[in-house]
Amino acid sequence: MTAKITPWDAADFLTTPERVAEYLDAVFDDGDPATIAAALGDVARAKGMSQVAKDTGLAREALYRGLSDKGNPQLATVLDVLKSFGLKLSVTPIGDTA
C-alpha cells in the first residue's frame, strides 16, 4: 500500500496578522534572500496576489516572478509588499553587541 502524500502550502496557514508576522520574522532571521522572496510570495498568495498587486501598484505577473525562490525583488518592492500586508520592516541588534 502506497502512502498518500498531501501537498503542503504555507499560504494555507497564514490566516492571521500574527501568523504572518511570525512566519516572516523567522524567515528574515534565517537571512536567505531566496527564502525571504519565496516567503513574501507565500504571504502574497494567502492575501490574494491580485489585491497585493492593486495595493502596491505592481503587476501581478511581476509579483509572482519577484516573490519566488528564483526572484530577487528590489528593496522598494519588499517594503511596498510588507506595507500591503500591514507590516513594516524592523531592525534589531544581533546577540550581544558589547
Side-chain angles (χ1 to χ4, degrees):
M1 177 175 210
T2 305
K4 182 179 178 184
I5 298 175
T6 304
W8 186 85
D9 187 352
D12 295 337
F13 300 92
L14 300 172
T15 57
T16 66
E18 294 78 17
R19 285 183 178 185
V20 169
E22 288 175 14
Y23 179 61
L24 291 178
D25 190 46
V27 171
F28 272 93
D29 193 43
D30 180 56
D32 177 55
T35 304
I36 292 168
L40 289 169
D42 291 339
V43 178
R45 286 186 297 103
K47 296 290 184 185
M49 196 65 79
S50 294
Q51 185 61 49
V52 173
K54 180 180 174 185
D55 292 345
T56 61
L58 300 168
R60 194 170 50 93
E61 296 78 15
L63 287 172
Y64 274 113
R65 271 193 313 275
L67 303 181
S68 72
D69 61 349
K70 304 284 189 243
N72 189 15
Q74 294 183 355
L75 181 57
T77 300
V78 171
L79 296 175
D80 286 346
V81 167
L82 287 173
K83 185 176 179 181
S84 80
F85 300 159
L87 301 172
K88 66 178 182 176
L89 191 61
S90 180
V91 178
T92 57
I94 298 173
D96 186 14
T97 59

